[in-house]
Each structure stands twice: as C-alpha cells, then as structure tokens.
Amino acid sequence: MSQEADMTNPEPQLWERRSSEPGEDFKIFKVRRDVCRHPRTGEDFDRVVLEAADWVTVLPVTPEGEVLMVRQFRFGVSEVTIEVPAGLVDEGEEPLAAAIRELREETGYTSERWTSLGRTFGNPAFLSNRCHLFMASDARLTHPRDLDPGEDISFQTVPLETARDWVLGGQIEHPTTIAALARVIPLCEPRSS
Amino acid sequence: MSQEADMTNPEPQLWERRSSEPGEDFKIFKVRRDVCRHPRTGEDFDRVVLEAADWVTVLPVTPEGEVLMVRQFRFGVSEVTIEVPAGLVDEGEEPLAAAIRELREETGYTSERWTSLGRTFGNPAFLSNRCHLFMASDARLTHPRDLDPGEDISFQTVPLETARDWVLGGQIEHPTTIAALARVIPLCEPRSS
C-alpha cells in the first residue's frame, strides 16, 4: 500500500468518551449524547449516537437463479421501494436466525442453504449497529407469510441481471441490498478508461 | 420478470400521512413524528422519521489507478474506520459541489474528471435523505487539507484490488463506500455453484 506518510497525515486515534447520557427511546433506536475528547487537541465535542439493534439483509436466490425482491412503502422517503428482505435482529437472537425469520415472515420463502455475505455498518457516523448480509440459496415458497399489521409488502422474483440493471438504473437505491448484490454479481459498468 | 401474482401478494400502495409533528433537532438530523394510515386496513401507525440533509460519497481514483481512502474515528461505532471521503450536502449546495468540497477538505486532493455513480437512500425505513455517489478520476494531491476542529482524518492510496480485498475481508464495512466501489470493480467472489 502506498501510504502518504507526512506530518500533516497522522494516523487517527481513539477518542475518549468523557461522558454519556441516555436520550429519548424511539424503539428502533435510542438516543445517546456523548462528550468525546479529540485525542490530538484535547478539545471536547458533543456527539449524538443512535443505539440501534443490528439489522439483517437477505439475498434470496431461487433454484431458477432469480433473486426474490420485496416492495414496500418506506416511511423515511415516503416511497414504495425495491429491496431484498431485511429487518431487525431481536434481542438475544443470532443474526442468521433473524435472517431466516425475516425471509419467511416477509415472503413465505425458506432456504436450506445460507451463506454469509459479510456485514456493513448501519452508518458508523451516528449509528452503533451493523447489518449482517446473507444469501439464501435455493429459496422456495413453502409457507404463508406473517406480516405485522404495520407492514404491507409484496414480493417478486427477477433474474439477477434485472436486479443488476435496477441498481445501475437507479430503481434499487437500498444501500444494504446493493452491498449484498455486489457480493454475488458484478454491478460495475464497462469503463472507457 | 416472473411476478408471483396472487391474492396474498397485492402491490403496496402509498400510505397517507395523517399528521406530522416536528421533534428534536440534532443538527445532523431532525426528528419528525408522523401518523400514517395503512392503505389496506385503514389502521393508523406512529412512525418516526429523521429528516436529514443529503450525503455525498466520493470514490477518488489516482492517475496510478489507486483509490484514495480515509481513516477516522467514528462516533457511532467507537472505532477507526476505513472509508472513502464523504460528507453532508450543505443547504442550497449541489451534490457534485459538495463532493468536490469534501474531497478537497478531507484529503487536499482535487480532480477535473467527475462521474456520477448513482445514489442510494440513507436508510429508507427512517431517514429521509439520499447519498449521492461520485467517482473522481485522476485525483491528485494539490491543496492543503481543511479539517474541522472536530475531525481527525488520515488518508492513504491503495490499489483497487486492495480495496476489493478489504470489502471481502471485512476491513471496509461502510455501506456507501461499498456501493460506490461496487460500481467500479467487481466485489463478488467466484462461486462454486
């Protein structure tokens, strides 16, 4: 690796948390107010952290090689989005168990072949959690769905190439869906240079 | 596309926002409390939305074909992370202008060749914003950096193959960094089936 090593580029250090105060609990996350000390200057800064349960994102692939996607109204953006099944890890639950549960609840599909596709941060700037990515191979419709009263989700299977086209065309904008798809198919366009 | 069309899989509709109340302003986002009506059942649900400015994520590639990455302490996860340069779009600012500004402020690098790599949601479940992805080709160190007092960022260039290995190995867990890299290099591993 070609590190730019000079005096203006020192390696970042950990910041000391001087104090930490719980804020409002919004259920999907809890506010925490920290005061953190800059390790180089000693100056204190207020920082807001959202403590959140981990998430899971599941890329289900059918025996025909199609990916199972879900559509739902998302309250953050007030739009119907295209994503793969995803959800929260319950307290005490293993990420894989949450992935298996969310896939079945949202779509009725199950799989006997699960593979980890790694994990991502939620957003390391202000969220404490991670998102665990899984592929569910040979996924088949085997059960009735079990949607919460506050959910309204449809599902459809599309060829992996269509999913790729939807990332490139902007129909898929869900970051962890993109991160999971990227681990299974190339999402880059041919470049001229 | 092979839509599973049956009576248990109706297409999701938009939810009507019955009321909306501003909550606390945390600067990087503002809380909004909505009551939304389920379009199929008519039941009302409380939903929390974080109204946030859009973000930008910049994938800078040097004339040598290396990617410029940054390391910084991230308060959400209390770790030093590896990402590409990123930041908030200021009010009234174009996303590309924010990308150019953030790259120069965080690293001192500039580029004459900018390409859109699309955009992602922040998180459509509860964040209102989007992240705009850009590639900055032929990026070169041309200026002194301009870090905020609350920032402590180092930079380094690494071959694109190293960046890919860091995604696969888990050293890079930043979702929009992964989304941007995925648009430029394949991030998938060879699969046995």
Side-chain angles (χ1 to χ4, degrees):
Chain A
M1 112 189 35
S2 58
Q3 170 84 38
E4 292 282 342
D6 65 40
M7 297 314 291
T8 66
N9 189 26
E11 197 57 25
Q13 300 160 36
L14 300 180
W15 294 44
E16 185 192 349
R17 199 189 299 170
R18 305 286 294 171
S19 66
S20 197
E21 192 187 316
E24 193 167 352
D25 185 347
F26 291 97
K27 289 181 190 166
I28 51 171
F29 43 75
K30 240 185 286 191
V31 175
R32 196 184 77 212
R33 297 161 192 283
D34 292 347
V35 176
C36 295
R37 180 156 293 181
H38 193 306
R40 213 173 308 283
T41 66
E43 194 181 349
D44 285 343
F45 290 87
D46 295 330
R47 292 289 181 256
V48 171
V49 172
L50 301 181
E51 295 186 333
D54 278 4
W55 303 328
V56 288
T57 291
V58 181
L59 184 71
V61 180
T62 68
E64 295 76 32
E66 297 204 325
V67 57
L68 175 65
M69 313 216 67
V70 292
R71 290 176 192 263
Q72 64 198 298
F73 181 77
R74 285 300 205 175
F75 300 94
V77 292
S78 295
E79 292 177 25
V80 173
T81 66
I82 306 176
E83 309 172 16
V84 291
L88 292 170
V89 179
D90 288 339
E91 204 174 327
E93 191 178 36
E94 289 297 319
L96 175 58
I100 292 169
R101 177 180 54 70
E102 286 289 347
L103 173 62
R104 179 169 158 176
E105 285 176 2
E106 292 191 354
T107 68
Y109 278 65
T110 58
S111 163
E112 304 288 328
R113 287 182 55 206
W114 290 81
T115 313
S116 170
L117 299 176
R119 59 181 199 177
T120 74
F121 296 121
N123 182 310
F126 61 87
L127 279 163
S128 67
N129 69 344
R130 282 183 162 84
C131 181
H132 306 264
L133 312 176
F134 294 96
M135 178 164 60
S137 304
D138 293 337
R140 295 162 203 265
L141 182 57
T142 56
H143 290 76
R145 298 200 289 164
D146 184 17
L147 297 180
D148 291 333
E151 287 181 328
D152 182 28
I153 299 175
S154 77
F155 58 92
Q156 68 180 126
T157 59
V158 300
L160 276 163
E161 299 70 34
T162 302
R164 175 185 177 278
D165 291 345
W166 285 356
V167 172
L168 298 182
Q171 290 95 331
I172 294 178
E173 296 194 81
H174 188 244
T176 60
T177 292
I178 294 170
L181 276 170
R183 297 294 303 274
V184 176
I185 51 171
L187 298 179
C188 36
E189 289 170 297
R191 284 191 296 153
S192 54
S193 61
Chain B
M1 115 185 40
S2 58
Q3 171 83 39
E4 293 282 343
D6 65 39
M7 297 313 289
T8 66
N9 190 25
E11 197 58 25
Q13 300 160 36
L14 299 181
W15 294 45
E16 184 191 350
R17 198 189 300 171
R18 305 286 294 170
S19 66
S20 198
E21 191 187 316
E24 193 167 353
D25 185 348
F26 291 97
K27 291 181 189 165
I28 52 172
F29 44 74
K30 242 185 285 195
V31 174
R32 196 183 77 213
R33 295 159 192 285
D34 293 347
V35 177
C36 295
R37 180 155 292 182
H38 192 306
R40 213 173 307 284
T41 66
E43 192 180 350
D44 286 341
F45 291 87
D46 295 328
R47 291 289 181 256
V48 171
V49 173
L50 300 182
E51 296 186 331
D54 278 3
W55 303 327
V56 288
T57 292
V58 181
L59 184 70
V61 180
T62 69
E64 295 75 32
E66 297 204 325
V67 57
L68 175 66
M69 313 217 67
V70 292
R71 290 176 192 261
Q72 65 198 297
F73 181 78
R74 286 300 205 176
F75 301 93
V77 292
S78 295
E79 290 176 28
V80 173
T81 66
I82 305 177
E83 310 173 13
V84 291
L88 293 170
V89 179
D90 288 339
E91 203 175 326
E93 191 178 36
E94 288 298 319
L96 176 57
I100 292 169
R101 178 179 54 70
E102 287 288 347
L103 174 61
R104 179 170 158 176
E105 285 177 0
E106 292 192 353
T107 67
Y109 278 64
T110 59
S111 163
E112 304 288 327
R113 288 181 55 206
W114 289 82
T115 314
S116 170
L117 298 177
R119 58 182 199 175
T120 74
F121 295 121
N123 183 311
F126 62 87
L127 279 163
S128 67
N129 69 344
R130 281 183 163 84
C131 182
H132 306 265
L133 312 176
F134 294 96
M135 178 163 61
S137 303
D138 294 337
R140 294 163 203 263
L141 182 57
T142 57
H143 289 76
R145 299 200 287 165
D146 184 18
L147 298 180
D148 290 334
E151 287 180 328
D152 182 27
I153 299 175
S154 77
F155 58 93
Q156 69 181 127
T157 59
V158 300
L160 277 163
E161 299 70 34
T162 302
R164 173 185 178 279
D165 290 345
W166 285 355
V167 172
L168 298 183
Q171 289 95 330
I172 293 177
E173 295 194 81
H174 188 245
T176 60
T177 292
I178 295 170
L181 276 170
R183 296 295 304 273
V184 175
I185 51 171
L187 299 179
C188 35
E189 289 169 298
R191 283 192 297 153
S192 55
S193 62

